[in-house]
């Protein structure tokens, strides 16, 4: 098969992996050379066969059942709604279904795409004006006029726009209807003929429907007609969005009545009996929105699903396996090339292997939040921007995971380090997470607290309750600003961490009105938004925040690309270099000491904040840990609840686990050099003991009975290693329950 691109060396890897015929960007669709045939046959990965395969099967069955009903001649108008995470592949999935239907069953379909549009009317105006230009003829205008005058069909359900349709036919007769721009402007001018904007939208939908009927009238085939209304939630104005949904809902209702009223139609037009036209016409609407958006529709029209039979099939988060998508595309490009020695091909392989690393850890899937585009962009950015030596070390670590299991932890840590550096370089720390270098200043991260509260409140909490929980300790305006920065409206590089529900502010100014209402002691719950924590938000608070590499990346807050060996991740080769200072012999000691000091300061600040809460509510430390939502409920890998823990203890035990796996990695890597092993053991064990001392110090940690036992287990393991004069290379400094395992 011929290439759809000229030279792979001239194309950025990002564009190769994001390639699609549906994006306007010529770099992504290769200047329109990439068509649907090529895309769906060679570049499209249909579904994941991973852990969510049962959910994938359920989703496929729902959509399959909906398509079977396409052939039901009595169901004239249907709406199939597919909701899913932004970028998870809803549009591609539906287009693939439509493409297959077209190829296999001859069904026809068209797309109304709202991506990048500002008003609900814009795509409809473009679509209708284009069709009017193409179809315009004496016969066509006569058909519209006859329909609008109800001479041949019963149109009483569309009575609000029949007069305007007649006025349009007069315009088409009197003017040059080959000028699409002029037709569009005339249609826009007709908005003044309607009392409401949604009536104007209904008029455009009706015009589109009438042109469709005329197309069916001139077409002898009997093909169901499918319309995909895509990216409705791209409209930034919630009012525009709700108006469009209202118009679509009314239009579908009116269409169903229309078919019922005309099923026994006796009229003819141009010598053809119109009952045949009614019989063979079938409309199926697909509507794609993000999961957040369907909540808006249920709020606006809570009876919508019951009354209008929507099939709200939720796209599984991992329906698409990003790793397999990348592999599928890279394999196709390689078949098109004569050599694997080009720089572009080498970069593609790096991205392929980085995807293997990323998807060895479910937390990375959650950070990418089901968004293949986000996954590809970040991996491409890493390959393009960051120290090639660090990338290769990451891949090398992962390649020896069977020989040294701890190497997987190192590879994941290095990838996280590169992601965090990417976020830092793009201002995400400053603009969204509000993070800075740790210091003992009695301050805690408000963003962390907000996400913690949401997690502990069952992933959802009202703004009213968040104000109640945080306002004794933070300024109302600061709380409002932080929540806005964390929501999807300000998302740039990271996936959204939280989103609004029930009441949807469209700007920070609008959200601040809720803060003002709280200041005026307004306790009416309906005046406040609900806030939901997203998949990425949970991954951030559960996996990123307590990670050693997260704290190391904060230590040196200046912008950089991991060129400085001092800032490279713990498992990097540079960590083993000897620096021979007065205190430390190896660079890894310096890194661990930096992070230890930052953890100590961070824990001190956290305890100070916790003491304030205890004083405010007049509760004990035990009550604070076990009976408030400012702390964490620990979960086992199978999802069962284990125990409550303070932020400080969680941070300390997570770091101990990471440092311990680094110790075991070094012991296995250098197993032949006994003197070196003793030295490594002694130096790292001493750091782990310092971390345990942080836990046992009341000034830097709130303890629990459960974790006291864990700390004792760690101390016992350390004591065994010490008694061997640090020649015990087998004992693991971890608990039986694995509390020190990386989150």
């Amino acid at each position: 098969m011929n290439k759809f691109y000229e030279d792979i060396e001239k194309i950025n890897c990002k564009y190769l992996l994001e390639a699609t015929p549906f994006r306007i960007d010529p770099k992504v669709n290769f200047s329109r050379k990439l068509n649907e045939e090529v895309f769906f046959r060679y570049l499209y990965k249909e579904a994941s066969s991973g852990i969510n395969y049962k959910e994938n099967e359920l989703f496929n069955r729902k959509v399959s059942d909906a398509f079977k009903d396409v052939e039901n001649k009595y169901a004239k108008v249907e709406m199939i709604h597919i909701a899913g995470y932004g970028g998870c592949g809803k549009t591609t999935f539906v287009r693939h279904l439509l493409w297959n239907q077209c190829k296999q069953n001859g069904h026809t379909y068209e797309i109304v795409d709202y991506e990048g549009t500002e008003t609900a009317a814009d795509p409809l105006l473009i679509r209708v004006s284009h069709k009017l230009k193409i179809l315009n003829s004496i016969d066509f205008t006569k058909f519209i006029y006859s329909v609008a005058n109800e001479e041949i069909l019963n149109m009483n359900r569309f009575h609000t726009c029949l007069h305007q349709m007649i006025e349009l036919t007069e315009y088409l007769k009197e003017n040059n209807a080959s000028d699409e721009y002029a037709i569009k402007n005339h249609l826009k001018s007709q908005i003044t003929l309607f009392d409401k904007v949604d009536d104007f939208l209904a008029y455009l939908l009706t015009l589109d429907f009438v042109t469709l009927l005329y197309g069916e009238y001139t077409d002898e085939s009997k093909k169901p007609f499918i319309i995909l209304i895509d990216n409705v939630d791209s409209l930034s104005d919630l009012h525009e969005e709700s108006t469009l949904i209202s118009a679509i809902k009314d239009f579908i209702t009116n269409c169903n009545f229309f078919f019922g009223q005309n099923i026994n139609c006796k009229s003819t037009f141009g010598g053809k009996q119109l009952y045949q036209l009614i019989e063979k016409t079938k409309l199926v609407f697909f509507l794609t929105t993000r999961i957040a958006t369907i909540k808006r529709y249920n709020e606006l029209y809570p009876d919508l699903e019951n009354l209008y039979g929507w099939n709200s099939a939720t796209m599984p988060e991992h329906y698409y396996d990003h790793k397999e998508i990348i592999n599928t595309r890279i394999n196709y490009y390689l078949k098109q090339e004569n050599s694997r020695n080009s720089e572009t091909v080498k970069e593609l392989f790096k991205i392929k292997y980085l995807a293997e690393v990323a998807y060895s850890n479910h937390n990375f899937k959650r950070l990418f939040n089901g968004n293949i585009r986000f996954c590809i962009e970040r991996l491409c950015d890493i390959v393009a921007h960051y120290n090639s030596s660090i990338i290769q070390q990451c891949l090398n670590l992962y390649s020896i995971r069977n020989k040294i299991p701890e190497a997987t932890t190192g590879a994941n840590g290095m990838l996280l380090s590169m992601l965090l550096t990417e976020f830092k370089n793009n201002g995400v720390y400053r603009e969204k997470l509000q993070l800075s270098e740790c210091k003992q200043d009695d301050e805690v991260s408000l963003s962390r607290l907000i996400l913690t509260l949401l997690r502990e409140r069952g992933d959802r909490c009202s703004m009213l309750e968040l104000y109640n929980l945080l306002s004794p300790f933070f300024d109302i305006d600061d709380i409002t600003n932080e929540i806005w920065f964390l929501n999807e409206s300000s998302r740039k590089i990271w996936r959204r961490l939280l989103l609004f529900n029930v009441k949807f502010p469209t700007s920070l100014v609008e959200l601040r009105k809720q803060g003002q209402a709280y200041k005026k002691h307004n306790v009416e719950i309906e005046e406040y938004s609900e806030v939901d924590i997203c998949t990425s938000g949970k991954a951030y608070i559960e996996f990123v925040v307590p990670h050693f590499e997260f704290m190391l990346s904060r230590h040196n807050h200046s912008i950089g690309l991991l060129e400085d060996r001092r800032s490279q991740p713990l498992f990097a080769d540079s960590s083993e270099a000897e620096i021979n200072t007065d205190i430390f012999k190896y660079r890894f000691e310096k890194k661990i000491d930096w992070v230890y000091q930052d953890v100590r300061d961070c824990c001190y600040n956290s305890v100070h904040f916790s003491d304030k809460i205890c004083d405010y509510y007049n509760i004990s430390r035990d009550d604070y840990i076990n009976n408030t939502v400012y702390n964490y409920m620990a979960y086992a890998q199978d999802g069962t609840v284990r125990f409550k823990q303070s932020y400080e203890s969680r941070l300390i035990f997570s770091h101990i686990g990471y440092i311990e796996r680094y110790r075991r990695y070094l012991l296995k890597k250098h197993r032949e050099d006994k003197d070196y092993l003793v030295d490594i053991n002694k130096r790292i064990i001493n750091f782990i003991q310092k971390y345990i001392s942080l836990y046992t110090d009341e000034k830097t940690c709130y303890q629990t009975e459960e974790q006291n036992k864990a700390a004792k287990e760690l101390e016992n393991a350390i004591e065994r290693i010490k008694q061997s004069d640090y020649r015990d290379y087998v004992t693991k400094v971890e608990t039986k329950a694995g509390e020190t395992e990386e989150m």
Side-chain angles (χ1 to χ4, degrees):
M1 190 181 129
N2 293 331
K3 295 181 183 180
F4 53 80
Y5 52 85
E6 297 298 333
D7 184 356
I8 197 171
E9 285 297 304
K10 297 178 181 178
I11 302 175
N12 191 296
C13 288
K14 177 179 174 181
Y15 301 132
L16 284 169
L17 296 175
E18 287 190 334
T20 170
F22 314 126
R23 294 269 294 279
I24 297 174
D25 186 346
K27 294 178 180 178
V28 177
N29 59 38
F30 302 104
S31 300
R32 299 296 179 191
K33 293 179 182 179
L34 176 57
N35 56 38
E36 291 182 341
E37 180 79 24
V38 173
F39 181 77
F40 287 130
R41 287 193 183 277
Y42 301 101
L43 303 181
Y44 179 59
K45 174 72 172 58
E46 289 197 43
S48 168
S49 58
I51 58 173
N52 293 296
Y53 69 94
K54 291 182 179 178
E55 191 176 5
N56 294 337
E57 288 177 358
L58 175 63
F59 177 77
N60 280 331
R61 190 161 60 249
K62 285 182 177 180
V63 176
S64 175
D65 290 344
F67 261 105
K68 288 177 183 177
D69 207 35
V70 170
E71 301 298 339
N72 180 356
K73 68 179 181 180
Y74 298 105
K76 285 298 184 180
V77 187
E78 289 191 67
M79 172 68 82
I80 301 171
H81 174 224
I82 297 181
Y85 295 97
C88 73
K90 300 180 297 295
T91 297
T92 306
F93 178 81
V94 177
R95 285 182 185 254
H96 179 253
L97 291 174
L98 299 179
W99 180 75
N100 264 340
Q101 288 292 315
C102 180
K103 299 287 284 187
Q104 296 174 10
N105 303 315
H107 297 161
T108 56
Y109 68 91
E110 292 183 9
I111 313 295
V112 184
D113 193 351
Y114 276 84
E115 182 71 46
T117 59
E118 296 183 0
T119 73
D122 285 344
L124 295 174
L125 283 167
I126 294 170
R127 175 181 168 83
V128 172
S129 58
H130 180 70
K131 291 173 77 173
L132 290 176
K133 172 195 170 184
I134 297 298
L135 295 173
N136 185 49
S137 64
I138 296 175
D139 196 43
F140 173 63
T141 52
K142 183 179 179 182
F143 180 81
I144 294 182
Y145 185 85
S146 300
V147 169
N149 272 294
E150 298 190 88
E151 295 175 357
I152 55 176
L153 293 169
N154 186 334
M155 297 288 290
N156 70 314
R157 294 294 297 192
F158 301 101
H159 66 275
T160 58
C161 59
L162 296 181
H163 173 73
Q164 292 81 359
M165 287 176 63
I166 293 173
E167 192 273 340
L168 176 65
T169 60
E170 296 300 324
Y171 169 81
L172 293 175
K173 290 177 184 177
E174 296 173 3
N175 295 274
N176 179 12
S178 62
D179 187 341
E180 188 173 323
Y181 182 75
I183 296 173
K184 179 183 174 183
N185 283 338
H186 181 76
L187 287 171
K188 288 177 70 173
S189 71
Q190 286 189 301
I191 194 171
T192 59
L193 304 176
F194 296 90
D195 295 329
K196 297 184 297 182
V197 174
D198 47 349
D199 286 341
F200 177 62
L201 293 176
Y203 166 62
L204 294 176
L205 288 167
T206 305
L207 269 179
D208 188 63
F209 176 53
V210 173
T211 59
L212 169 65
L213 288 176
Y214 183 75
E216 294 287 285
Y217 162 77
T218 58
D219 187 355
E220 296 298 328
S221 63
K222 296 184 178 181
K223 299 176 182 177
F225 192 84
I226 301 171
I227 297 175
L228 168 59
I229 303 177
D230 198 18
N231 298 312
V232 169
D233 49 331
S234 293
L235 290 165
S236 57
D237 190 328
L238 179 59
H239 177 71
E240 287 284 329
E241 185 180 328
S242 61
T243 299
L244 175 62
I245 296 301
S246 175
I248 293 173
K249 181 192 73 169
D250 290 341
F251 171 72
I252 291 173
T253 305
N254 293 338
C255 269
N256 276 317
F257 273 100
F258 167 84
F259 285 114
Q261 290 171 321
N262 291 283
I263 196 67
N264 296 315
C265 177
K266 306 296 184 183
S267 302
T268 61
F269 183 82
K272 293 184 179 181
Q273 293 182 314
L274 294 185
Y275 80 86
Q276 294 176 333
L277 171 65
I278 301 301
E279 275 189 354
K280 75 173 185 177
T281 302
K282 171 70 180 286
L283 281 173
V284 180
F285 284 82
F286 275 88
L287 183 73
T288 68
T289 67
R290 289 193 301 266
I291 284 178
T293 307
I294 187 58
K295 296 176 181 177
R296 304 181 187 182
Y297 301 157
N298 287 336
E299 174 69 16
L300 293 166
Y301 308 108
D303 60 345
L304 194 62
E305 186 166 351
N306 293 330
L307 288 181
Y308 299 98
W310 283 32
N311 175 19
S312 295
T314 300
M315 177 73 76
E317 180 186 352
H318 305 309
Y319 185 87
Y320 294 96
D321 188 326
H322 301 176
K323 179 181 66 175
E324 290 306 316
I325 292 176
I326 292 171
N327 289 344
T328 297
R329 298 189 179 187
I330 289 177
N331 289 337
Y332 173 72
Y333 298 134
L334 292 178
K335 290 178 182 177
Q336 305 300 308
E337 298 301 314
N338 297 321
S339 171
R340 294 193 174 194
N341 294 322
S342 74
E343 291 303 315
T344 303
V345 169
K346 290 177 183 177
E347 284 197 8
L348 285 172
F349 271 112
K350 284 184 182 178
I351 295 166
K352 172 189 174 81
Y353 297 138
L354 277 177
E356 294 279 347
V357 177
Y359 284 90
S360 69
N361 185 327
H362 78 283
N363 288 296
F364 284 105
K365 295 180 183 179
R366 295 163 72 211
L367 282 176
F368 295 139
N369 202 18
N371 190 331
I372 176 61
R373 189 182 305 168
F374 174 80
C375 169
I376 288 174
E377 285 180 351
R378 295 291 75 76
L379 295 181
C380 288
D381 288 340
I382 286 172
V383 169
H385 299 156
Y386 293 91
N387 188 314
S388 59
S389 172
I390 290 294
I391 296 174
Q392 194 57 52
Q393 289 176 49
C394 174
L395 301 180
N396 291 343
L397 278 170
Y398 192 67
S399 69
I400 63 171
R401 62 191 181 279
N402 293 329
K403 181 180 179 182
I404 305 179
E406 291 80 9
T408 300
T409 295
N412 284 327
M414 295 183 85
L415 179 56
L416 177 62
S417 176
M418 287 184 277
L419 277 170
L420 291 170
T421 304
E422 173 68 14
F423 296 149
K424 181 163 61 176
N425 291 337
N426 283 278
V428 179
Y429 276 13
R430 181 183 67 258
E431 294 176 6
K432 182 166 293 185
L433 303 180
Q434 300 290 303
L435 298 177
S436 58
E437 295 180 46
C438 294
K439 55 185 176 180
Q440 200 171 115
D441 56 5
D442 297 336
E443 299 292 332
V444 295
S445 169
L446 180 53
S447 60
R448 173 178 64 80
L449 276 171
I450 290 168
L451 293 171
T452 300
L453 291 173
L454 290 172
R455 178 188 186 270
E456 299 305 305
R457 291 295 297 169
D459 300 342
R460 175 182 292 187
C461 190
S462 76
M463 286 289 294
L464 175 61
E465 191 168 5
L466 286 173
Y467 285 138
N468 284 334
L469 290 166
L470 294 169
S471 61
F473 318 105
F474 297 94
D475 180 76
I476 291 292
D477 290 339
D478 290 341
I479 298 169
T480 306
N481 292 343
E482 198 73 16
I483 290 172
W484 179 258
F485 286 132
L486 291 171
N487 94 89
E488 65 171 330
S489 297
S490 59
R491 172 171 54 86
K492 291 183 179 178
I493 303 299
W494 207 313
R495 295 299 297 144
R496 62 182 185 271
L497 301 182
L498 58 80
L499 54 85
F500 297 110
N501 189 17
V502 179
K503 190 178 177 71
F504 304 93
T506 58
S507 66
L508 176 57
V509 172
E510 192 172 322
L511 183 64
R512 282 175 177 163
K513 293 178 182 178
Q514 298 184 33
Q516 295 300 319
Y518 185 80
K519 289 179 182 179
K520 295 177 181 178
H521 308 292
N522 186 336
V523 294
E524 298 295 328
I525 190 68
E526 62 270 12
E527 295 297 319
Y528 297 92
S529 299
E530 282 195 351
V531 185
D532 294 359
I533 189 170
C534 297
T535 306
S536 289
K538 293 184 75 171
Y540 169 71
I541 202 67
E542 293 173 1
F543 171 66
V544 177
V545 166
H547 203 287
F548 180 93
E549 297 300 344
F550 176 69
M551 196 66 78
L552 180 59
S553 75
R554 291 179 62 185
H555 182 81
N556 182 5
H557 200 61
S558 61
I559 302 300
L561 297 176
L562 294 178
E563 300 293 342
D564 189 338
R565 292 184 297 172
R566 294 175 300 175
S567 301
Q568 291 175 357
L570 182 62
F571 278 77
D573 292 344
S574 59
S575 296
E576 298 179 50
E578 294 189 15
I579 53 176
N580 292 316
T581 66
D582 293 338
I583 303 175
F584 304 121
K585 181 178 181 181
Y586 303 103
R587 190 178 301 282
F588 69 74
E589 294 179 272
K590 186 66 174 176
K591 292 178 183 179
I592 295 174
D593 186 63
W594 277 348
V595 172
Y596 166 78
Q597 293 179 53
D598 289 344
V599 169
R600 182 190 59 201
D601 291 344
C602 191
C603 288
Y604 178 90
N605 295 337
S606 180
V607 166
H608 176 80
F609 176 74
S610 299
D611 286 343
K612 286 170 62 177
I613 295 176
C614 289
D615 291 342
Y616 181 83
Y617 291 110
N618 192 25
I619 57 176
S620 67
R621 286 191 169 193
D622 284 344
D623 284 336
Y624 170 73
I625 293 291
N626 295 307
N627 300 314
T628 72
V629 289
Y630 299 96
N631 295 288
Y632 296 83
M633 182 67 75
Y635 295 95
Q637 288 189 348
D638 61 3
T640 56
V641 176
R642 293 178 62 196
F643 53 84
K644 290 280 282 187
Q645 57 187 154
S646 65
Y647 164 70
E648 312 90 66
S649 66
R650 184 166 167 269
L651 186 63
I652 289 167
F653 279 104
S654 176
H655 283 220
I656 288 174
Y658 192 74
I659 295 168
E660 164 60 10
R661 280 186 290 282
Y662 181 64
R663 180 184 75 93
R664 299 206 299 260
Y665 163 73
L666 290 180
L667 293 178
K668 293 173 183 177
K669 181 180 179 182
H670 302 284
R671 66 184 72 207
E672 303 301 326
D673 189 341
K674 302 303 181 183
D675 291 336
Y676 180 80
L677 297 185
V678 171
D679 198 29
I680 291 295
N681 243 357
K682 182 182 298 185
R683 293 175 184 278
I684 296 183
I685 287 296
N686 288 341
F687 273 113
I688 292 177
Q689 196 154 36
K690 289 175 70 175
Y691 265 96
I692 296 174
S693 297
L694 278 184
Y695 171 76
T696 57
D697 187 347
E698 290 188 351
K699 293 180 180 179
T700 50
C701 188
Y702 273 27
Q703 298 98 23
T704 67
E705 185 176 345
E706 184 78 24
Q707 289 176 297
N708 286 341
K709 296 176 184 177
K712 188 64 177 175
E713 284 186 53
L714 298 180
E715 288 178 329
N716 290 340
I718 288 173
E719 188 59 31
R720 285 196 297 274
I721 294 172
K722 283 185 172 181
Q723 287 179 357
S724 72
D725 200 20
Y726 296 99
R727 296 183 183 278
D728 180 347
Y729 313 127
V730 178
T731 297
K732 296 181 179 180
V733 184
E734 65 182 23
T735 67
K736 293 177 182 177
E739 281 90 352
T740 63
E741 284 301 307
E742 187 177 3
M743 295 292 292

